[in-house]
Amino acid sequence: MKLKHCLAGTILVVGLAACATVTRPDLSGMSFSTAPLVGKVVWHDLITEDIDAARPFYEGLFGWSFEDATGPGRRGYALARSGNVYVAGFVPVAARADGSRLSRWLPYLSVTDVDQAVTDGVGAGARVAVAARDVSLGRVAAIVDPEGAVIGVARSKVGDPDDKTTAAAPGRVVWTELLSNDSDAAAAFYRSMVGYEVREVERRGGTYTLLGNGGTNRVGILKNPAQDWDPVWLTYFGVHDAAAAAKKAEELGGKILLPASPELRDGSMAVVADPSGAVLVLQKWSL
C-alpha cells in the first residue's frame, strides 16, 4: 500500500463548518466546550477531486446526509451530517495536470492560538501549507510537519465540539492517528507545537504513542510498518463490521487497501480508499 499525499498551497482549506454559508449551520444538535479542548481533533475536511462520487460513497457507507454550504465567492463546499451532528466538510479541488492525487482526509487540531501554533511548528521544522486565515466560525491553518504529513490547526469562535457531541459511534470518527517513520521525533514536534502530554503504551506489535491533554488521549502515533509508506494522518471511522464495511466500500466505488484479517488488529479494522483516492480506516465499534 503506497500512501502518496501532497497538498497544493493554493487549496483553500475551510474547517469547522466554517465556509461562508448562505444560511448558518444548524448547531442545535451539538454542544460545545467553553474552554479550548487543546489537542483534540475538532473537525475533518475531505479534500477531494471528485465530490460527485464522494458524496454517494459516504452516504452509502456511513448513512451521512449533506448540506450545500456555498456562499458568495466560494467553491462548492458541502457539510456532512451523521444524525444531527456535523462530522465533516467536503472541499472540491481540481485534478492536477501531472496526474498526482490530492484527495485526502485532513484533520484539524484545536489550539489556543492558530498563528502561534504555526510559528512554533515552522520553528520546529514544519512548513506552511495554508497560511492562517479567518473563517466564519474561527481561524484555521494547515502545515506540513517535518516528515511530510499534513495537519490542520483551528480555533473556533463558538467553542470546540465537546466529547459528548463527538462520542465515538458507527458512522462517526472514532480515532485519529499519525503514521510516522520516527515516533519519538513526531511526538516531540507535536508536543512543542500543540502542548501535548506524551505517553507510551505497549501493545501487540510494539510501542504505541498517545498524545493527550489533561489526562485525555486525543491522537495516536503509529510507527510506520513499511518503508514505502509515506507519513500521513489517518482518520478512523466506526463501523459495525470491518470486513463487511470494506466490501461495501468496494461496491460503492472505493478500493480495499488492507482487508480485515486476524493479523490486522484481530480483524477489527480495514483500510480503504474512496473513489477519489482518499485513504480512510474502518474500525469496528460497538455502542
Side-chain angles (χ1 to χ4, degrees):
M1 179 178 64
K2 185 66 172 174
L3 297 178
K4 273 293 184 187
H5 294 268
C6 57
L7 185 69
T10 56
I11 292 176
L12 178 61
V13 177
V14 282
L16 293 170
C19 59
T21 53
V22 176
T23 58
R24 186 177 179 84
D26 178 9
L27 303 177
S28 60
M30 305 172 66
S31 50
F32 298 84
S33 172
T34 55
L37 299 176
V38 174
K40 178 177 180 176
V41 179
V42 291
W43 188 248
H44 288 80
D45 272 333
L46 174 66
I47 313 297
T48 178
E49 293 158 305
D50 193 346
I51 195 170
D52 291 333
R55 286 174 63 147
F57 174 84
Y58 289 97
E59 181 180 17
L61 189 58
F62 298 136
W64 290 353
S65 59
F66 292 89
E67 298 175 9
D68 292 320
T70 304
R74 301 285 185 176
R75 302 179 69 177
Y77 190 75
L79 294 171
R81 291 178 67 117
S82 175
N84 59 357
V85 174
Y86 290 103
V87 291
F90 283 22
V91 183
V93 294
R96 296 182 61 148
D98 62 6
S100 60
R101 305 301 293 268
L102 292 172
S103 298
R104 66 166 61 245
W105 276 99
L106 177 65
Y108 291 79
L109 307 175
S110 173
V111 294
T112 54
D113 186 313
V114 168
D115 297 81
Q116 187 61 53
V118 171
T119 297
D120 292 343
V122 171
R127 60 185 175 85
V128 177
V130 179
R133 65 192 64 203
D134 291 325
V135 290
S136 61
L137 293 184
R139 189 164 176 81
V140 298
I143 61 103
V144 183
D145 76 14
E147 289 191 277
V150 183
I151 189 72
V153 291
R155 174 88 301 272
S156 170
K157 292 178 182 178
V158 299
D160 292 335
D162 62 21
D163 292 342
K164 179 181 177 181
T165 287
T166 59
R172 305 271 181 93
V173 174
V174 299
W175 190 238
T176 310
E177 181 177 83
L178 173 64
L179 189 66
S180 170
N181 291 334
D182 188 336
S183 298
D184 291 339
F189 171 80
Y190 284 98
R191 179 172 53 203
S192 69
M193 186 179 79
V194 181
Y196 280 123
E197 302 157 358
V198 179
R199 184 166 68 92
E200 293 184 341
V201 295
E202 294 300 323
R203 67 181 192 185
R204 191 174 73 174
T207 302
Y208 189 77
T209 304
L210 291 164
L211 304 182
N213 203 329
T216 300
N217 297 324
R218 292 303 185 187
V219 298
I221 301 176
L222 176 66
K223 180 68 170 65
N224 200 337
Q227 291 184 347
D228 63 342
W229 294 7
D230 298 321
V232 64
W233 280 93
L234 296 171
T235 301
Y236 285 63
F237 295 91
V239 294
H240 293 290
D241 182 286
K247 181 180 178 181
K248 181 68 172 178
E250 192 172 45
E251 292 170 352
L252 291 166
K255 181 179 179 181
I256 299 175
L257 302 178
L258 285 177
S261 70
E263 293 76 29
L264 189 62
R265 298 186 188 175
D266 298 320
S268 67
M269 63 171 286
V271 182
V272 303
D274 73 15
S276 66
V279 176
L280 59 150
V281 183
L282 304 175
Q283 176 69 53
K284 181 178 179 180
W285 200 271
S286 301
L287 294 174

